[in-house]
């Protein structure tokens, strides 16, 4: 029973949601000022570089109205908003250990991790980015410049942002990779349900299963490897102090700090080179949809590479002729190949259509001489032809139908590298912007 007139005792109902790190340690000191200074310089240099590159690319565009530029700006802001929110989740994992153990000052740790994240993104091939994009329905990818295509991009990005903000606010651990992939699958399912009478495609469940396996297996592999390493360290390094929580602001021994910095560096680099790609493919879809003249095909492909592509196209068309049925009959080649990608059902007509499409692409390449000389009103269709050919070849290899000979398989693989170089590319400024 409390004494009369005594001040009421306030009992906290939940633990305070604050970092164990001293707040003053995060905002004061020369290391914090140096870290913030480096961040500011890098940010300004990056903005200037991106602006110059984007202006240079858009100089080739002769749009009839300002609408494509407005859509481009809005879409890029939304995409960057998703990546900003992503920083609340995945990116913080790389610096958690070095900050918690006082190995690095927080500002220095963030700048160091960001540097290696950036390095990983710049050195990445883009394969992960376009692997995730291939989950989307083929019709939406081919029509990304239309209303349905923009609705798709905005829907999946807004859904991912809302989920990330919600999980961050309630303190729920969540992966932005799972979020984005879930949004893409949701768009695919909605596309199929809304257009059931037209026979449009939904999710490429085979590709989704492959990505799902990696997302499921990666934490299991990480858990098992970490447990084995911990047990091995305890057996080989019997120093109990190394396995206890840090006391106050006292950092661990020098060699432990060196290992922690090394692991922080490795995690940051590989996070950038893998996980950091997941949104760049969407950025490229936005660019292709709004300003196809500048981004639908790779303008960096040289005249010599174009001549090589024409020769490889002829070789590939000849190789596919070995598998064309005499009874095959087709109408529109791209429609036939697109149906194959949508249904995953190979027919004798598929091979004939694919061969004719490859022949047509090779002929047009020979006429244009270089990709940057493709007429503005043809560039989107030209890119779509190349995209469906690449996807059809990927599916044929995956399904093993038809059975190609070793020599023909090598020719087709060489051709796919050439055609992917022309369509599945990511400009350096996009990588810089995404980080």
């Amino acid at each position: 029973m409390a004494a009369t007139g005594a001040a009421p005792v306030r009992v906290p109902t939940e633990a305070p949601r604050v970092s164990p790190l001293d707040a003053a340690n995060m905002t004061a000191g020369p290391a914090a000022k140096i870290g913030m200074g480096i961040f500011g310089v890098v940010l300004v240099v990056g903005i200037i570089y991106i602006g110059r590159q984007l202006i240079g690319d858009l100089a080739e565009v002769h749009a009839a109205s300002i609408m494509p530029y407005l859509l481009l700006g809005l879409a890029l802001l939304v995409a960057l908003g998703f990546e900003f929110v992503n920083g609340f989740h995945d990116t913080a994992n790389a610096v958690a250990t070095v900050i918690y153990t006082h190995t690095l000052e927080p500002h220095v740790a963030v700048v160091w991790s960001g540097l290696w994240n950036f390095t990983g993104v710049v050195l990445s091939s883009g394969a992960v980015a376009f692997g995730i994009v291939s989950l989307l329905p083929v019709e939406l990818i081919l029509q990304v410049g239309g209303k349905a295509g923009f609705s798709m991009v905005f829907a999946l990005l807004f859904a991912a942002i809302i989920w990330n903000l919600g999980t961050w606010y309630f303190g729920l651990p969540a992966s932005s990779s799972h979020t984005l992939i879930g949004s893409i699958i949701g768009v695919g399912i909605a596309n199929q349900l809304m257009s059931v009478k037209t026979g449009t495609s939904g999710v490429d469940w085979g590709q989704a299963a492959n990505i799902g396996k990696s997302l499921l297996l990666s934490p299991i592999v990480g858990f098992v490897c970490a447990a084995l390493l911990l047990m091995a360290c305890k057996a080989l390094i019997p120093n109990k102090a190394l396995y206890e929580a840090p006391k106050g602001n006292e950092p661990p021994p020098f060699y432990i700090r060196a290992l922690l910095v090394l692991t922080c560096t490795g995690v940051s680099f590989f996070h950038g080179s893998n996980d950091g790609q997941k949104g760049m493919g969407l950025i490229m879809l936005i660019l292709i949809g709004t300003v196809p003249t500048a981004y639908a095909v790779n303008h960096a492909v040289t005249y010599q590479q174009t001549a090589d592509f024409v020769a490889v196209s002829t070789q590939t068309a000849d190789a596919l002729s070995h598998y064309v049925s005499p009874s095959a009959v087709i109408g529109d080649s791209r429609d036939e190949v697109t149906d194959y990608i949508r249904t995953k059902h190979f027919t004798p007509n598929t091979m004939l259509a694919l061969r004719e499409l490859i022949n047509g692409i090779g002929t047009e390449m020979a006429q244009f001489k270089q990709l940057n000389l493709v007429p503005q009103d043809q560039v989107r269709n030209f890119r779509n032809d190349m995209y469906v050919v690449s996807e059809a070849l990927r599916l044929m290899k995956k399904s093993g139908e038809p059975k190609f000979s070793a020599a023909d398989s090598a020719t087709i693989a060489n051709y796919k590298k050439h055609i992917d170089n022309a369509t599945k590319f990511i400009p350096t400024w996009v990588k810089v912007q995404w980080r």
Side-chain angles (χ1 to χ4, degrees):
M1 188 76 177
T4 305
V9 178
R10 298 181 63 87
V11 180
T13 57
E14 61 177 62
R17 298 176 63 183
V18 297
S19 167
L21 203 61
D22 184 12
N25 202 28
M26 298 184 65
T27 56
K33 294 178 180 179
I34 292 173
M36 292 301 294
I38 293 174
F39 172 77
V41 171
V42 171
L43 181 62
V44 172
V45 172
I47 291 173
I48 294 173
Y49 170 76
I50 292 167
R52 291 186 61 182
Q53 294 295 315
L54 185 57
I55 291 172
D57 291 343
L58 294 181
E60 306 176 18
V61 180
H62 304 288
S65 69
I66 198 174
M67 186 56 66
Y69 303 107
L70 294 177
L71 285 173
L72 174 62
L74 177 61
L76 289 179
L77 283 176
V78 174
L80 290 175
F82 166 76
E83 184 61 14
F84 178 78
V85 175
N86 180 33
F88 301 161
H89 294 82
D90 301 7
T91 311
N93 298 335
V95 296
T97 53
V98 290
I99 293 176
Y100 175 70
T101 59
H102 312 293
T103 298
L104 290 177
E105 196 275 336
H107 297 86
V108 174
V110 170
V111 171
W112 179 256
S113 175
L115 173 65
W116 287 101
N117 252 289
F118 172 76
T119 304
V121 169
V122 171
L123 297 179
S124 64
S125 64
V128 175
F130 290 105
I132 291 176
V133 168
S134 65
L135 285 172
L136 291 166
V138 63
E139 310 89 43
L140 293 181
I141 294 176
L142 297 181
Q143 301 169 11
V144 70
K147 295 180 180 178
F150 281 117
S151 299
M152 164 196 71
V153 173
F154 284 123
L156 66 90
L157 284 175
F158 275 120
I161 290 172
I162 292 170
W163 177 256
N164 278 347
L165 285 174
T167 54
W168 164 74
Y169 180 80
F170 289 106
L172 301 175
S175 167
S176 295
S177 299
H178 293 69
T179 303
L180 186 61
I181 292 169
S183 299
I184 292 174
I185 292 175
V187 165
I189 294 174
N191 179 67
Q192 192 169 27
L193 293 176
M194 292 170 63
S195 308
V196 64
K197 293 183 179 180
T198 61
T200 55
S201 63
V203 180
D204 183 346
W205 290 110
Q207 183 74 356
N210 290 335
I211 295 176
K213 289 175 185 176
S214 64
L215 294 177
L216 179 64
L217 290 176
S218 56
I220 297 176
V221 171
F223 175 83
V224 172
C225 290
L228 293 175
L229 284 172
L230 178 61
M231 289 187 290
C233 287
K234 284 189 173 182
L236 299 174
I237 312 175
N239 184 352
K240 293 183 178 180
L242 297 179
Y243 311 106
E244 297 176 353
K247 298 177 181 178
N249 292 335
E250 182 180 352
F254 173 78
Y255 70 96
I256 296 297
R257 296 202 302 273
L259 285 174
L260 288 170
V261 171
L262 180 63
T263 55
C264 169
T265 303
V267 169
S268 300
F269 176 82
F270 289 109
H271 179 270
S273 62
N274 289 275
D275 192 73
Q277 294 188 50
K278 63 179 178 285
M280 291 192 296
L282 294 175
I283 288 282
M284 289 308 300
L285 276 183
I286 292 168
L287 293 173
I288 291 166
T290 52
V291 280
T293 304
Y295 298 108
V297 291
N298 189 358
H299 289 182
V301 174
T302 64
Y303 175 82
Q304 183 58 44
Q305 290 173 320
T306 302
D308 186 39
F309 180 86
V310 173
V312 172
S313 297
T314 302
Q315 295 173 1
T316 305
D318 291 341
L320 295 183
S321 295
H322 302 154
Y323 309 91
V324 174
S325 171
S327 61
V329 178
I330 60 171
D332 185 275
S333 299
R334 191 208 291 174
D335 289 345
E336 189 73 41
V337 178
T338 302
D339 285 342
Y340 166 67
I341 297 172
R342 179 176 58 83
T343 63
K344 313 297 184 297
H345 178 59
F346 180 84
T347 68
N349 295 344
T350 304
M351 187 57 69
L352 176 60
L354 183 60
R355 187 194 67 180
E356 294 306 303
L357 205 53
I358 291 174
N359 266 328
I361 292 171
T363 301
E364 290 179 328
M365 284 284 278
Q367 293 173 349
F368 299 140
K369 306 299 183 184
Q370 286 186 237
L371 288 176
N372 60 349
L373 299 179
V374 178
Q376 183 170 341
D377 60 342
Q378 298 181 40
V379 65
R380 193 194 301 273
N381 287 335
F382 189 61
R383 186 254 177 194
N384 285 348
D385 286 347
M386 300 176 87
Y387 178 82
V388 297
V389 166
S390 176
E391 284 298 291
L393 293 176
R394 179 183 69 84
L395 290 174
M396 287 179 182
K397 180 180 178 181
K398 180 181 176 181
S399 65
E401 186 181 12
K403 298 287 185 181
F404 295 116
S405 67
D408 290 340
S409 293
T411 299
I412 293 169
N414 183 38
Y415 175 78
K416 191 174 186 304
K417 288 180 182 178
H418 281 75
I419 206 167
D420 285 347
N421 183 45
T423 56
K424 296 182 179 181
F425 68 100
I426 300 177
T428 303
W429 74 263
V430 172
K431 297 179 179 181
V432 172
Q433 173 183 262
W434 197 247
R435 283 294 98 187

